[in-house]
Amino acid sequence: IGQPSILPNGNFQVQLMCGTGLVLTVQYSTNLLDWLPLQTFTSTSAVTIITDTNVAGHAIRFYRAVVP
């Protein structure tokens, strides 16, 4: 996972580096116990950018990438 950043509009963004053809699910949590899917995709390049546009109003969010 690349360096995460908060964009000027408040959105969270991170670069994922992985092999092409890999199916990944990016999940988020507010308590590290309950995880919800943010996005599931098949990587088409070595670097994929993930953006969470629903960050506003949340005190803190944790993210992880998993292979389903």
Side-chain angles (χ1 to χ4, degrees):
I1 295 181
Q3 179 68 29
S5 61
I6 301 297
L7 302 177
N9 61 4
N11 293 342
F12 171 84
Q13 188 174 72
V14 68
Q15 288 183 341
L16 297 177
M17 293 174 260
C18 60
T20 59
L22 184 65
V23 177
L24 291 170
T25 298
V26 176
Q27 299 175 332
Y28 70 93
S29 174
T30 56
N31 60 15
L32 294 175
L33 296 174
D34 302 307
W35 291 91
L36 298 170
L38 176 64
Q39 182 178 358
T40 298
F41 63 94
T42 301
S43 177
T44 58
S45 66
V47 177
T48 302
I49 297 174
I50 302 296
T51 303
D52 185 354
T53 59
N54 297 311
V55 176
H58 296 280
I60 191 166
R61 276 192 169 183
F62 302 95
Y63 297 89
R64 69 181 182 183
V66 296
V67 178

